[in-house]
Amino acid sequence: MISKIIAEELIHKVKKSVDAVDKIVIVAHVAPDGDAMGSTLGLWHYLMTIEKEPVVIVPTAFADFLKWMPGSDRVLVYADKKEECDKILAETELIFTLDFNVESRMADLAPAVINASAPKILIDHHLHPGDYAKITISHPEISSTSELIFRLICRLGDFSKINLACAECIYTGMMTDTGGFTYNSNKQEIYTIISELIKIGVDKDEIYRRVFNTYSADRMKLMGYALYKKMKVYPEYQAALITLTAKELKKFNYQNGDTEGLVNMPLSIAGVVFSVFIREDSDKIKVSLRSQGTFPANKFSADVFDGGGHLNAAGGESCTTLEEAVAKFEEALPDYKDFL
Ligand code: 5GP
Ligand code: MN
């Protein structure tokens, strides 16, 4: 049916590791997105069906528009429940780390995971996986970690154990990491998998609405404000920049996740192939970068903002002021003209 992307030997090792234990923790990256939540919860539902005791721990809160996801109410947020999470991690027998490549992506949760005696299984689709895991399943050519979880479960011979809740989570991650199947989504097998998920009962139109059509009025106004007042286009570099200060965010009653998707919007302008959004958070500057075609958003992010990610979707952070981050962006643009 679908090709065997994950090496047989790794499937075997995962099976052996899972069979040998009861207590399993699944962790995702800081500010978990749809794919982080989709993959962790998808795996969580699966492990429940095979009668394990999985616990999902994420470093920081996830956006409200993911709170409908089945099982999300059981997720522990490390920032809120540090002691409880530390205890669970110290006692667990196996840790899955999903949707990130290096331990720093776990932020404050990293020491407790890395120092835990339990072996780690890394499953991810970012380039350059770290070396902390006993088993590393890294496939940058696959557009979401959620898709990898689907493939893993199938290869473990447990397709029939993917229940509706599990399928909904997997679908959500596949959908969000491809912008609703508008980028990184040309591989035919994605649609074979979606077809299977729909057979299980996934209502893809409903999931799209739950994730993408749940704006508050404040969020919609913030988007309008950002595009009208804060977007700068650099035609010479086929680039666009949006910035939002902490004060502006407060004015629009900013909630976690409210600027999700904003960075993609300037890519709808004819000729723009690179879009950057810089947000002033209380403790740092957050940078999101998106591109079209071969323009390397991840290289730009690594070079300028010490970040990383995928060719067309990357992120980074900066400890500078917002103005300094903008200056760094503008100074770097000419160096990337060759990629246009
Ligand atoms: P977003 O802009 O949605 O926060 O992130 C897009 C992608 O960029 C993520 O899926 C992740 O691969 C990567 N990314 C985001 N923030 C960071 C960061 O601070 N460091 C690194 N290395 N990658 C990031
Ligand atoms: Mn992902």
Side-chain angles (χ1 to χ4, degrees), residues 125-333:
H125 67 139
H126 295 91
L127 292 167
H128 315 306
D131 58 5
Y132 62 80
K134 182 181 149 203
I135 303 170
T136 297
I137 298 179
S138 170
H139 286 274
E141 79 282 14
I142 297 296
S143 55
S144 65
T145 303
S146 298
E147 179 180 334
L148 284 171
I149 293 298
F150 179 89
R151 289 174 178 276
L152 174 70
I153 299 170
C154 291
R155 293 285 299 287
L156 290 168
D158 281 339
F159 170 74
S160 62
K161 299 208 169 116
I162 299 180
N163 57 24
L164 179 57
C166 178
E168 287 181 329
C169 294
I170 288 171
Y171 182 79
T172 301
M174 292 177 67
M175 180 186 80
T176 54
D177 256 22
T178 56
F181 307 102
T182 60
Y183 51 81
N184 282 340
S185 55
N186 277 335
K187 291 216 165 86
Q188 197 187 323
E189 290 191 350
I190 290 175
Y191 303 94
T192 310
I193 294 171
I194 293 175
S195 169
E196 294 302 324
L197 296 174
I198 290 174
K199 268 188 231 160
I200 294 167
V202 164
D203 182 340
K204 64 180 275 298
D205 301 349
E206 175 64 21
I207 290 181
Y208 184 95
R209 281 192 290 273
R210 284 183 193 164
V211 172
F212 293 125
N213 295 355
T214 55
Y215 281 35
S216 63
D218 280 335
R219 181 178 175 187
M220 190 56 102
K221 287 176 186 171
L222 175 63
M223 292 279 179
Y225 170 76
L227 292 173
Y228 182 44
K229 296 278 189 190
K230 301 302 304 282
M231 182 180 70
K232 186 169 172 188
V233 180
Y234 303 77
E236 193 187 346
Y237 302 114
Q238 296 185 251
L241 172 71
I242 296 174
T243 59
L244 286 172
T245 65
K247 202 170 153 205
E248 289 167 326
L249 294 168
K250 194 157 180 270
K251 187 173 162 202
F252 289 92
N253 187 27
Y254 173 76
Q255 306 292 312
N256 243 336
D258 272 1
T259 55
E260 199 95 4
L262 179 60
V263 64
N264 295 95
M265 292 183 175
L267 294 177
S268 299
I269 302 169
V272 170
V273 298
F274 183 42
S275 170
V276 174
F277 167 52
I278 305 181
R279 189 182 68 215
E280 185 185 32
D281 287 346
S282 56
D283 52 342
K284 62 174 184 315
I285 299 292
K286 168 79 180 108
V287 187
S288 284
L289 310 93
R290 299 291 185 271
S291 67
Q292 294 189 105
T294 53
F295 191 96
N298 50 359
K299 179 172 160 47
F300 194 102
S301 182
D303 292 349
V304 182
F305 297 113
D306 202 21
H310 314 279
L311 183 74
N312 295 138
E317 289 177 6
S318 174
C319 301
T320 63
T321 64
L322 181 64
E323 291 75 20
E324 284 162 344
V326 171
K328 284 207 292 186
F329 163 77
E330 290 185 341
E331 275 161 32
L333 273 183

Side-chain angles (χ1 to χ4, degrees), residues 237 330-339:
Y237 302 114
E330 290 185 341
E331 275 161 32
L333 273 183
D335 298 340
Y336 283 78
K337 248 194 131 171
D338 289 349
F339 290 102

